Amino acid sequence: WEAKLEKIIDETIHEDMRLISGIPPWVQMYFERIEARTGKEIKDVFPNFSLFVQGGVNYKPYQPIFDKLVGKRVPTIEVYPASEGFIAFQDSQIKEGLLLNVDAGIFFEFIPADSFFEENPPRLSLKDVELGINYVIILNTNAGLWGYNIGDTIEFVSIDPYRIIVTGRIKHFISAFGEHVIGKEVEASMIKACEETGADVVEFTVAPQVDGGENSLPYHEWFVEFSKEPEDLEVFTKIIDDEMQKQNVYYQDLIQGNILRPIVLSQLKRDAFVEYMKSIGKLGGQNKVPRLSNDRKIADKLSNFKA
């Protein structure tokens, strides 16, 4: 993988790059390698770079890092492609969400996420969807897919026209104690903490810790790699926990009922997530670290990279 990335840099570093497309964590590594090799900001390496087309993860946590690497704010367009079909795209720099691609050979159905694991969950067509509900998106295509679950969850932010936001993955959640935490909630809480403290985060993931230790309550453990640390890590952690309680009433009830204690933040070494992805053979390409898990498989491995 290292050789592949270096080859890409060799092939592109002297080109007149105007549009760059990719998932943010991969492009971030690409930019960091270019900066390390040249000692320049990306705007000086690619002076005509004027549009970043991105997707696959929530871009907001990456925005400050990209602004710093590039040396200026570059306009972005978010897309929602998949191997199974082109699902949605950003059609406005003002309005929230991505416009659902309803006229391109895909018939969409939606299962309320709360009902997904039932024996016969309802499958709703577009005419039956509602705003603010977390749905699992189901695809039927003229390429032959029938009732296919791509694993993503979405929420409608507009019905006319149909605009969606991606809220996470149906298999990526935390409900070890009945809290039903989803990706949208942890991302919103992290963004809030970064905005209020000026911190920048490279990557993060969250997992439950059922064994809180002797005479201690269980908790959610947040593994965070910073590119710019907050001045006060305790304040940063409290902002996240307060925002999580606002986002998720079940989590709030567990905290206030002394079933859980507030989150524990474990700071990781620089390049911890890169090293972790290398260790499992999934660095680069379209591979992403899950934002949250309902077990400790990822957490236990990341514990080896604590700062």
Side-chain angles (χ1 to χ4, degrees):
W1 185 89
E2 296 283 349
K4 182 178 179 181
L5 180 56
E6 290 301 320
K7 182 180 179 182
I8 292 171
I9 293 172
D10 289 337
E11 292 174 347
T12 60
I13 198 169
H14 300 298
E15 297 294 330
D16 182 17
M17 301 281 277
R18 299 171 182 240
L19 182 152
I20 296 175
S21 176
I23 65 171
W26 195 95
V27 177
Q28 179 186 332
M29 286 188 284
Y30 170 64
F31 283 172
E32 287 172 343
R33 292 296 182 90
I34 291 177
E35 183 184 56
R37 184 185 290 193
T38 65
K40 299 178 180 179
E41 294 178 327
I42 299 302
K43 69 178 176 61
D44 296 320
V45 179
F46 303 133
N48 292 314
F49 176 37
S50 56
L51 181 63
F52 179 35
V53 179
Q54 51 80 25
V57 297
N58 186 345
Y59 184 60
K60 285 186 179 179
Y62 295 94
Q63 181 82 68
I65 298 171
F66 273 77
D67 289 349
K68 183 177 179 181
L69 285 169
V70 176
K72 65 178 182 179
R73 175 66 61 91
V74 174
T76 67
I77 293 178
E78 183 178 359
V79 293
Y80 184 5
S83 302
E84 298 82 7
F86 197 93
I87 295 170
F89 57 92
Q90 183 180 354
D91 68 323
S92 171
Q93 293 289 320
I94 300 172
K95 296 178 181 178
E96 181 185 16
L98 307 178
L99 187 68
L100 197 65
N101 196 16
V102 297
D103 190 25
I106 301 175
F107 179 77
F108 294 97
E109 294 179 294
F110 305 90
I111 299 176
D114 289 345
S115 304
F116 181 77
F117 294 103
E118 295 176 1
E119 185 175 352
N120 292 299
R123 279 165 51 173
L124 309 177
S125 60
L126 274 172
K127 68 180 180 62
D128 298 314
V129 298
E130 300 177 27
L131 299 177
I133 304 294
N134 202 34
Y135 292 108
V136 179
I137 187 167
I138 303 296
L139 303 186
N140 305 274
T141 77
N142 55 15
L145 292 181
W146 184 260
Y148 187 81
N149 168 29
I150 63 172
D152 291 342
T153 56
I154 61 94
E155 179 182 311
F156 283 90
V157 294
S158 169
I159 297 296
D160 185 19
Y162 292 106
R163 284 197 177 91
I164 62 172
I165 58 172
V166 179
T167 56
R169 301 277 290 171
I170 189 60
K171 291 184 178 180
H172 296 166
F173 62 90
I174 297 178
S175 197
F177 312 95
E179 60 271 47
H180 308 295
V181 170
I182 62 174
K184 175 188 173 185
E185 295 162 352
V186 298
E187 288 178 346
S189 300
M190 178 59 77
I191 290 168
K192 178 78 169 178
C194 288
E195 288 176 345
E196 292 198 8
T197 64
D200 291 336
V201 169
V202 175
E203 191 58 272
F204 74 98
T205 192
V206 189
Q209 178 52 274
V210 177
D211 182 7
E214 188 176 354
N215 300 319
S216 183
L217 295 173
Y219 55 88
H220 288 180
E221 186 171 10
W222 290 54
F223 294 84
V224 183
E225 179 186 336
F226 292 100
S227 59
K228 179 184 177 184
E229 297 179 20
E231 290 185 5
D232 191 323
L233 195 59
E234 289 187 7
V235 170
F236 183 87
T237 304
K238 187 177 186 307
I239 293 171
I240 290 177
D241 198 79
D242 289 346
E243 188 64 21
M244 278 299 303
Q245 292 190 51
K246 293 177 183 178
Q247 293 276 330
N248 188 308
V249 66
Y250 303 110
Y251 178 76
Q252 181 183 55
D253 288 345
L254 290 168
I255 294 292
Q256 295 182 354
N258 290 320
I259 306 299
L260 292 178
R261 62 181 165 117
I263 71 167
V264 172
L265 191 148
S266 294
Q267 185 174 350
L268 301 181
K269 300 175 183 177
R270 182 68 188 205
D271 293 329
F273 282 96
V274 169
E275 294 303 318
Y276 164 70
M277 294 298 279
K278 279 183 183 178
S279 73
I280 61 172
K282 291 188 176 181
L283 181 63
Q286 298 298 312
N287 296 307
K288 298 163 283 189
V289 178
R291 285 283 188 240
L292 66 176
S293 316
N294 203 38
D295 56 44
R296 298 282 302 178
K297 291 179 182 178
I298 296 174
D300 289 342
K301 291 185 178 181
L302 285 174
S303 294
N304 297 322
F305 299 99
K306 288 184 180 180

